[in-house]
Amino acid sequence: MADAFENILGQPKVREFLRATVSQDKVSHAYLFTGPAGSNKTLAAYAFAQAVLCPKGPQGPRGGNCGACDACRRIMRKKHPDVRYFAPEGASGYLVEQIRDIVSDTSFAPIQAKKKIYILDRVDLLGVQAANAFLKTLEEPPSDVVLILLGRTRESVLPTILSRCQVVPFRTIPASEAAGIIVQNSGASLEQARMALEACNGSITRAVEFLKSNERLGFRRRVLEVVGCLRKADDWDVIGFASELVVLVKAPLDVARAEQEQELAENADFLAKSAIRQIEARNKRQLTAKTFESLRHLTAVVRSWLRDVVAVCAETPELVINVDVRESIAETAAVTDEARAAAALACVRRCDEAISYNVSPETCIDAMLFEIRDTLYGRAPHASGTSTRIR
């Protein structure tokens, strides 16, 4: 029977290790999950949290994934108040103040469960000062706290952090294998699986969710229509496209915000003021993370289209991923060249960097579209003030 770890796709050794850890009651205080983007580290962290916090325990129905209790449902939806997710808030990594807030938070008792789970993403971006503020807690956290750190490689994580955690390595999943896993879990065709994988920055789990969402498929379709229209777009067209994409990027945030407000209203009478403040802080972090996710999804779709243009310019059309818009890719490749298409990809990279620096979505998208158009098609710089460039 399936359990909490069954959906950690492509990582059989990780599944076996986490199952054994929970079933044998050998849960440690700190873990470091290492592996490339798309290797399902975040999903595994939430599955681990679910197995640990399920009140029916690892020996209960489906081993911590009973699917019937409130705790399991909340963790699956990333709504449980005792499962906290953090990502770097600074332009170059975690802020010292952010880490101090996390350390302070660990001293509070759990709101609903017997333990609290802290998931810290991208700890390879944890600098020396921020790490020093975290070391004592990482070495000896409160007895009701489990820390799960996520990083890209062992080597990229500070030795002082590495030495205080149990390391769980996640393997790189080859693209061909990843596409096959997506086909098995979504019923999509291989072409659709490859497309979804590109649109989701290589994440198998997100790709499966993507293929099951009409809203996300529609978002991708419109993004591809926009980049395909840039060749004939004047400045006002580009500004209009950017405004439309900003609305589409923010649409999931409005839904998430409404759900958060409803959930808080339903539970407000049963929670202390301190618990409400913790939930509000968690909700704010979730909205920030969702904003980044939506923007990364946008840039991933644009990047995949430009890579297809590069492939056609390089006379390797068999490598095209977005086969449903092959016509616009061919039209663009016919009037540009490989070097300009590669330079346009650099524009997307600069947009990603600007997002990391918390530049507004409006500025990021506007500037990216203008730079892609001008780079691909050799347009002269437009009038000053029409858009803000990414530098």
Side-chain angles (χ1 to χ4, degrees):
M1 185 177 290
D3 62 9
F5 306 112
E6 196 63 31
N7 290 326
I8 308 175
L9 304 175
Q11 302 290 347
K13 290 186 177 180
V14 171
R15 288 200 301 268
E16 291 171 9
F17 171 77
L18 294 179
R19 279 191 185 118
T21 297
V22 175
S23 64
Q24 296 171 18
D25 196 22
K26 293 182 178 180
V27 177
S28 182
H29 67 280
Y31 294 86
L32 173 61
F33 292 2
T34 61
S39 57
N40 280 334
K41 299 188 298 296
T42 305
L43 178 81
Y46 276 98
F48 192 39
Q50 192 173 324
V52 170
L53 297 189
C54 177
K56 297 187 178 180
Q59 305 304 325
R62 300 178 68 190
N65 188 15
C66 68
C69 72
D70 184 62
C72 280
R73 287 194 297 268
R74 284 175 178 265
I75 297 171
M76 290 169 71
R77 293 165 49 219
K78 300 182 180 179
K79 299 289 186 182
H80 198 291
D82 295 317
V83 181
R84 321 283 176 82
Y85 173 89
F86 299 89
E89 293 180 358
S92 57
Y94 281 92
L95 303 173
V96 175
E97 294 80 6
Q98 182 185 6
I99 293 299
R100 286 175 179 160
D101 287 343
I102 295 171
V103 169
S104 176
D105 191 80
T106 61
S107 64
F108 293 106
I111 295 174
Q112 293 182 348
K114 293 182 179 180
K115 288 181 178 289
K116 291 191 296 183
I117 311 290
Y118 288 79
I119 302 170
L120 278 68
D121 203 355
R122 293 306 305 271
V123 292
D124 41 302
L125 299 179
L126 190 63
V128 174
Q129 284 187 310
N132 286 340
F134 191 44
L135 292 182
K136 182 171 174 33
T137 299
L138 184 60
E139 189 164 8
E140 293 184 57
S143 59
D144 57 4
V145 166
V146 176
L147 301 164
I148 306 174
L149 281 52
L150 314 180
R152 295 291 172 86
T153 64
R154 290 174 61 106
E155 294 74 21
S156 63
V157 178
L158 289 171
T160 51
I161 297 294
L162 187 67
S163 64
R164 288 166 169 81
C165 299
Q166 184 166 358
V167 179
V168 182
F170 285 62
R171 72 187 184 102
T172 299
I173 305 172
S176 57
E177 181 184 343
I181 293 171
I182 293 167
V183 169
Q184 287 181 331
N185 287 272
S186 68
S189 68
L190 189 59
E191 284 184 346
Q192 290 172 323
R194 293 172 62 208
M195 170 273 291
L197 201 59
E198 284 286 320
C200 297
N201 282 314
S203 171
I204 295 174
T205 304
R206 289 179 180 171
V208 171
E209 293 172 353
F210 172 83
L211 288 167
K212 295 178 180 179
S213 169
N214 290 329
E215 290 78 11
R216 295 186 190 184
L217 289 168
F219 176 74
R220 168 191 171 269
R221 188 163 49 249
R222 184 54 187 154
V223 172
L224 291 176
E225 288 173 353
V226 166
V227 292
C229 289
L230 288 178
R231 182 165 63 95
K232 298 178 180 178
D234 63 21
D235 287 4
W236 284 111
D237 290 332
V238 175
I239 291 171
F241 289 150
S243 297
E244 180 187 354
L245 292 182
V246 167
V247 172
L248 292 175
V249 162
K250 291 185 175 180
L253 307 182
D254 296 334
V255 174
R257 189 179 291 108
E259 290 177 350
Q260 288 177 349
E261 291 172 353
Q262 180 181 351
E263 182 181 13
L264 192 58
E266 291 173 351
N267 293 282
D269 293 340
F270 308 100
L271 297 172
K273 288 184 178 180
S274 60
I276 291 175
R277 284 196 297 271
Q278 289 183 48
I279 292 173
E280 288 174 340
R282 180 208 67 186
N283 289 347
K284 183 178 179 181
R285 290 192 298 268
Q286 286 183 343
L287 287 175
T288 299
K290 206 164 189 65
T291 300
F292 279 108
E293 183 181 338
S294 293
L295 288 167
R296 299 296 188 201
H297 180 36
L298 168 66
T299 58
V301 173
V302 174
R303 190 182 298 109
S304 70
W305 184 86
L306 287 169
R307 284 175 179 161
D308 286 345
V309 173
V310 171
V312 175
C313 287
E315 299 183 355
T316 54
E318 68 277 5
L319 299 180
V320 168
I321 297 292
N322 298 291
V323 294
D324 53 331
V325 290
R326 195 185 290 274
E327 184 177 347
S328 74
I329 293 165
E331 288 175 354
T332 297
V335 295
T336 191
D337 57 44
E338 192 174 344
R340 282 186 285 174
L345 275 167
C347 299
V348 183
R349 187 191 68 246
R350 287 195 293 275
C351 181
D352 279 329
E353 291 171 352
I355 291 169
S356 298
Y357 279 85
N358 290 320
V359 177
S360 71
E362 291 84 352
T363 301
C364 290
I365 297 172
D366 178 278
M368 180 183 69
L369 293 182
F370 270 114
E371 292 200 2
I372 289 173
R373 185 198 66 174
D374 296 350
T375 302
L376 277 180
Y377 307 114
R379 298 285 183 88
H382 41 75
S384 177
T386 302
S387 83
T388 303
R389 298 288 190 171
I390 301 174
R391 297 297 183 195

